[in-house]
Amino acid sequence: MRLTSALLYVVFWGVAGWGQATHPATGREIAPVMGMGGADWLVRAEREREEAPERALDAIGLAKGDVVADIGAGAGYFTWRMAERVGPGGQVFASDIQPRMLELLKKTVAARGLNNVVAVLGVEDDPKLPAGALDLALLVDVYHEFSQPQKMLRKIREALKPAGRMVLLEYRKEDPSVPIRLEHKMTVSEVRAEIEPEGFSFVTSVETLPRQHVLIFKR
């Protein structure tokens, strides 16, 4: 059983993430990145019930014409929803460090007839987003996987407009009933301790989702 679990973990998140460092501000173990083996899990039918994505976007608040980013976009589960909300006059930059994930995302977006999404191949320390362009940067269950979080946060901050916001969705570590591996969950205090020193101000934490915090910051 242990061997089977270990093999599944390799398929989903890959060996490269093993042995990564802890965050210097909190001592939190940095989680490995989900690989292509987990792509189907990202679009599983149960995710609607477990994460309530539309309710999450309602809480965040997107306006028609907004320029936004889905960082760590994966297969595009949130990307197309954001694209529909900002409308043809808005734009979504979908950034991910895995080319194959972006290929899946492009197919998803094309199947829905959306023309306002730009797929961006980022790197581990830079999401490769245009400076000063974003009204909102959304990070869904991905911040805890950043291998170089301080550098990523600085680049995200540079990409935001002066009044821009950054929003994280993270599984609640405070709740032991949330059935996610510990290194893939975060507490509100951990998030604030790591993000506020990088030039962000905490606005609020929305706790209306089944399993996740909605953590809103501004520049």
Side-chain angles (χ1 to χ4, degrees), residues 64-84:
K64 295 292 185 184
D66 276 352
V67 178
V68 300
D70 185 4
I71 299 174
Y77 188 78
F78 270 82
T79 302
W80 67 262
R81 290 174 168 83
M82 296 170 74
E84 288 185 345

Side-chain angles (χ1 to χ4, degrees), residues 1-10 12-14 17-19 28-34 41 141 144-145 170-187 190 211:
M1 181 63 74
R2 287 188 186 130
L3 180 59
T4 301
S5 297
L7 288 172
L8 286 172
Y9 199 62
V10 170
F12 270 51
W13 283 277
W18 289 7
R28 174 185 62 84
E29 179 185 351
I30 294 175
V33 175
M34 176 177 282
W41 190 80
D141 300 327
H144 63 269
E145 296 181 359
E170 288 287 345
Y171 283 106
R172 293 193 291 268
K173 188 187 283 189
E174 299 93 334
D175 185 353
S177 70
V178 174
I180 298 293
R181 289 179 64 100
L182 191 63
E183 65 269 28
H184 291 276
K185 300 197 286 186
M186 293 191 71
T187 67
E190 280 178 328
R211 296 179 175 180

Side-chain angles (χ1 to χ4, degrees), residues 39-50:
D40 287 344
W41 190 80
L42 292 176
V43 295
R44 67 197 186 279
E46 297 83 1
R47 195 170 178 185
E48 292 274 355
R49 170 176 50 82
E50 294 169 354

Side-chain angles (χ1 to χ4, degrees), residues 55-62 78 136 138 165 167 169 214 216:
R55 198 191 316 169
L57 291 175
D58 288 343
I60 294 165
L62 298 179
F78 270 82
L136 174 80
L138 179 62
R165 296 177 296 149
V167 179
L169 269 63
V214 180
I216 302 175

